[in-house]
Amino acid sequence: MGGIFHILKHFSLGEYDTISSFGKEFNVETWGEIYHNIIINFFSDEFWPEKGKEIYYEAFSTLGDGHRLRGVYFKNPEVPVYFLDSLRVDS
């Protein structure tokens, strides 16, 4: 599982360099924008089970520059809670 610190590498904030290996990071001005994008993604209308995986769900939202944000969430089978697993910027 990735979690929030894994997610941070997909964003660039001002003078902080990203460590993304994809080179598809999204530029933000504040740390709060990252959380804003995660929340918007989680509550997206495009939220469904990931193909072939019962407890993983995908969500898609659109960033300010038009790129798609793909989130993957793990649903705990014992309690109704989702955990952020992965988040990346797609073309």
Side-chain angles (χ1 to χ4, degrees):
M1 289 202 205
I4 191 65
F5 288 106
H6 171 82
I7 303 312
L8 294 177
K9 76 177 192 173
H10 297 294
F11 292 88
S12 291
L13 175 68
E15 71 276 4
Y16 297 99
D17 291 329
T18 183
I19 59 170
S20 174
S21 58
F22 295 112
K24 294 181 179 178
E25 58 278 346
F26 182 65
N27 295 313
V28 294
E29 294 182 19
T30 66
W31 291 107
E33 282 183 72
I34 297 171
Y35 290 102
H36 170 83
N37 285 303
I38 293 169
I39 292 166
I40 293 297
N41 183 260
F42 181 78
F43 289 103
S44 166
D45 289 336
E46 295 184 59
F47 190 89
W48 52 77
E50 191 173 18
K51 293 177 184 173
K53 298 181 180 181
E54 291 180 15
I55 57 175
Y56 285 91
Y57 289 75
E58 289 183 304
F60 293 90
S61 56
T62 304
L63 296 168
D65 67 354
H67 282 87
R68 300 276 286 161
L69 189 62
R70 177 184 175 264
V72 177
Y73 301 88
F74 166 78
K75 183 180 181 188
N76 186 320
E78 310 221 354
V79 293
V81 174
Y82 292 88
F83 295 93
L84 182 59
D85 184 60
S86 178
L87 193 74
R88 75 169 160 254
V89 178
D90 291 334
S91 301

